[in-house]
Amino acid sequence: MSRCIPILVLLTLAGFCSALPLDSQAELKKMTAALDLLKSENQEMNARLMTAESELRKVQEQPKVAFAASLGGNGLVKTTDGNRDLIYADVMTNVGGAYNAQTGEFTAPIRGVYYIRFTANGPSDFPMSAVLYKNNQEIQLIAHEQTSGEGSDTASNGAALLLQQGDKLKMVLWHNTQIWDNSNHHSTFSGFLLFPLLDGSPFPLLRCWTVFQKHFGVDQKSFSMVSPNFSHTRCFASDTAEAAALRVCQVDEAPKEFDVEGEMKALQVRMKVLQTENQGVKERLESTEKELKAMRDVPKVAFSVSLGGDGLQKTTSGQKNLIYKDVMTNIGQTYDTKTGEFTAPIRGVYYIRFTANGPSDFPMSAVLYKNNYEIQLIAHEQTSGEGSDTASNGAALTLEAGDKLKMVLWHNTQIWDNSNHHSTFSGFLLFPQ
C-alpha cells in the first residue's frame, strides 16, 4: 500500500514517541513545529498572492479601447444617388486598433458597453446627415438637419451601447444629404469601452492536474488526495510543495519499525521545499502588490466648467482665450480657472467634449487647442439669421503628461452663456498609458 512520509508522521508519532529516546522525540517535535510554521506562512502568503494576482489579472486583461477620427479632407461630401459610407480617415486616437481607417468601421473587440458619439457639420442650404449603423443594417443613432437657408449647422449624438464581440459600427451619409469637414475636425466619430461584460468560468480541475502530471509525475488519484477541494482558476506556487511531498512518498508496505533517521530526512526535504517556495512566493507577492499599488495610485481626473457670466463674448480683433470660470467639477485640480487651461497629469487617453451657444446673427465658434498651436476639435456656426444655435464636439484624445488644452474664440466670432451653463468644457481620464 502507498504511505506518504509526511502523512505517516501524523499517524505514527503519537504511538511511537513514547518508545523513542527523549532526544529523538524532542528533535522530531521541533522539526514538526518548524514545518507547521512554514506551512502556515506558505498558506498565508499564497492566500494574499491569489487575491493580489486575481485583482491584477482583472485589470491587465481588460482591453483598453478608444478611438477618435474625423472626416478630414477639405470640403463637402455629398450624395444624391443612394446612401454612402463615410470614411473618417484623419485618425487622432486608435488605442486597441479597433477602428479601421480604410473602411471607416469600428469593430468591438469584446462584448461590453461602449460610449459612442459623433458630430456632423455642413452648410445649411442642403440637408445634412450622419447616421450610425450596426452590422450594416441596424440604425443606432442619427444626426440630421433640414435645409434652413444660408449659414451652417452642427449636430451631434451619442449613447452608451451594448455591443457583442465582432459587432461593427459605421457612419453613413443618407441619400440627398451632405456633410462637411476640413483639417480642423468639424465632423468627428469617436468612442471608447466603458466596461466589458464577460462570462467567466474557472478552469476545470483536470487542467491543473495535467500541470502536475507534466512537471512532477503525479497521478490524478494522488492529486485528488492532496487537493480534493481544489477550485482555483490556475495552479499556484503552493501546489509545487504538495507535489514535492508526494515525491518523497514510498510505495511499499508499512514499515514494521519506525525509522527515525528516515523520518527526519523526509522532514528536512519538506522543509527545504517549503523554504524555497516561500521565498519565491514572497518575491512574487512583493512584485504583484507593488504593481497593484502603482495602478491604484493613478490619479482621478475629471473636470466640468462653464463660461458662466451673463452675456456675450465676442471678438472682432484677433483670437481670444476662453476662461471657463464657473466650475462644477475639478477632481484632481487639473483645470486652472485663471488661465482656462486643462493640464494632463499623466500620459493617457482622456475624453474631452465642449458645447457652444450663441445668437445666430453672427458667426459662433469654440476651438480646442493643444499646447497653444495644434487644433484638436472645433464647433463652428455661420450666421443664419435670427434665433440662436448650439454646437458641440468631443473625442477620446491621447495626451502626454503636461499637455495643455484650452478653448479659443476665433476672430470675428462670438459665444454666449449665463448661469444655466449653455457653453461648457469638460473631460476626464479614461485610462493611463
Side-chain angles (χ1 to χ4, degrees):
M1 60 184 294
S2 175
R3 293 296 177 93
C4 184
I5 291 175
I7 297 174
L8 186 61
V9 174
L10 301 177
L11 296 176
T12 60
L13 274 179
F16 285 97
C17 278
S18 59
L20 296 174
L22 291 178
D23 289 347
S24 298
Q25 290 185 42
E27 187 64 25
L28 276 174
K29 288 181 179 180
K30 182 179 178 181
M31 292 180 67
T32 303
L35 182 60
D36 288 341
L37 180 59
L38 285 172
K39 283 183 177 180
S40 178
E41 291 174 352
N42 182 278
Q43 290 171 356
E44 181 183 350
M45 285 196 297
N46 269 288
R48 285 175 58 191
L49 180 62
M50 182 173 66
T51 301
E53 288 190 334
S54 176
E55 185 177 348
L56 182 62
R57 195 162 54 249
K58 287 179 182 178
V59 176
Q60 291 174 333
E61 290 176 356
Q62 178 170 325
K64 292 179 171 56
V65 182
F67 76 98
S70 75
L71 284 175
N74 189 23
L76 205 62
V77 180
K78 186 174 183 177
T79 176
T80 56
D81 185 19
N83 295 346
R84 174 178 176 176
D85 290 353
L86 292 170
I87 310 297
Y88 294 75
D90 195 345
V91 177
M92 296 173 279
T93 303
N94 195 15
V95 177
Y99 176 73
N100 187 326
Q102 278 70 51
T103 64
E105 288 183 322
F106 167 77
T107 304
I110 62 168
R111 182 174 186 267
V113 176
Y114 297 78
Y115 181 72
I116 306 293
R117 88 174 306 276
F118 52 90
T119 294
N121 179 275
S124 51
D125 60 353
F126 195 80
M128 178 185 70
S129 79
V131 188
L132 179 68
Y133 276 77
K134 183 173 79 173
N135 299 330
N136 288 317
Q137 57 188 18
E138 189 177 345
I139 294 173
Q140 301 294 295
L141 301 166
I142 184 171
H144 188 269
E145 294 279 357
Q146 293 292 345
T147 304
S148 59
E150 295 182 0
S152 64
D153 273 319
T154 298
S156 297
N157 210 338
L161 302 177
L162 172 60
L163 301 179
Q164 303 299 324
Q165 183 178 15
D167 278 350
K168 295 181 180 294
L169 300 179
K170 68 177 181 180
M171 300 299 302
V172 174
L173 185 65
W174 268 357
H175 171 67
N176 268 341
T177 63
Q178 65 183 7
I179 191 171
W180 183 88
D181 197 17
N182 65 10
S183 59
N184 292 331
H185 313 311
H186 294 254
S187 295
T188 58
F189 179 29
S190 180
F192 53 86
L193 174 66
L194 284 171
F195 51 84
L197 292 171
L198 303 174
D199 296 323
S201 58
F203 296 121
L205 179 64
L206 182 61
R207 177 168 177 175
C208 282
W209 163 69
T210 303
V211 174
F212 271 72
Q213 186 183 51
K214 177 180 178 181
H215 293 288
F216 302 109
V218 180
D219 61 25
Q220 191 169 11
K221 181 179 179 181
S222 298
F223 175 75
S224 299
M225 178 189 72
V226 173
S227 301
N229 298 316
F230 194 86
S231 61
H232 303 321
T233 58
R234 53 166 289 184
C235 296
F236 290 94
S238 59
D239 305 322
T240 62
E242 298 291 355
L246 286 172
R247 289 162 67 186
V248 299
C249 290
Q250 294 178 342
V251 182
D252 201 350
E253 292 295 323
K256 294 181 174 57
E257 295 183 4
F258 189 69
D259 183 359
V260 178
E261 183 179 352
E263 178 60 27
M264 288 185 175
K265 287 181 178 178
L267 286 174
Q268 288 172 350
V269 169
R270 186 69 187 277
M271 288 174 68
K272 287 180 180 179
V273 168
L274 281 173
Q275 286 169 345
T276 301
E277 188 211 347
N278 282 4
Q279 182 60 34
V281 173
K282 181 181 178 182
E283 291 173 359
R284 284 174 59 190
L285 180 59
E286 290 175 349
S287 175
T288 302
E289 290 183 337
K290 182 180 179 180
E291 193 170 351
L292 271 175
K293 183 180 184 301
M295 290 181 173
R296 294 190 186 109
D297 289 344
V298 170
K300 304 292 188 296
V301 180
F303 75 97
S304 182
V305 294
S306 75
L307 284 174
D310 189 19
L312 204 63
Q313 294 195 43
K314 186 175 183 178
T315 176
T316 57
S317 177
Q319 298 183 169
K320 175 182 178 179
N321 291 343
L322 292 170
I323 311 297
Y324 294 74
K325 293 187 176 181
D326 195 344
V327 178
M328 294 172 277
T329 305
N330 195 14
I331 296 171
Q333 302 302 308
T334 52
Y335 176 77
D336 188 335
T337 56
K338 296 182 177 60
T339 64
E341 289 182 323
F342 164 76
T343 303
I346 61 171
R347 185 178 191 274
V349 176
Y350 297 77
Y351 180 70
I352 306 293
R353 84 177 306 277
F354 52 89
T355 296
N357 179 275
S360 52
D361 60 353
F362 196 78
M364 177 186 71
S365 78
V367 188
L368 179 68
Y369 277 77
K370 183 174 79 173
N371 300 330
N372 288 319
Y373 64 90
E374 188 178 349
I375 295 174
Q376 301 294 293
L377 301 166
I378 185 171
H380 187 267
E381 294 281 356
Q382 294 290 345
T383 304
S384 59
E386 295 182 359
S388 65
D389 274 321
T390 298
S392 66
N393 210 336
L397 302 177
T398 300
L399 301 178
E400 301 295 331
D403 277 350
K404 294 182 182 295
L405 300 179
K406 68 177 180 181
M407 300 299 303
V408 173
L409 185 65
W410 267 359
H411 171 65
N412 270 341
T413 63
Q414 64 184 6
I415 192 171
W416 182 88
D417 197 15
N418 64 9
S419 59
N420 291 330
H421 314 309
H422 294 257
S423 296
T424 59
F425 178 30
S426 64
F428 52 86
L429 174 64
L430 285 172
F431 49 81
Q433 285 189 303

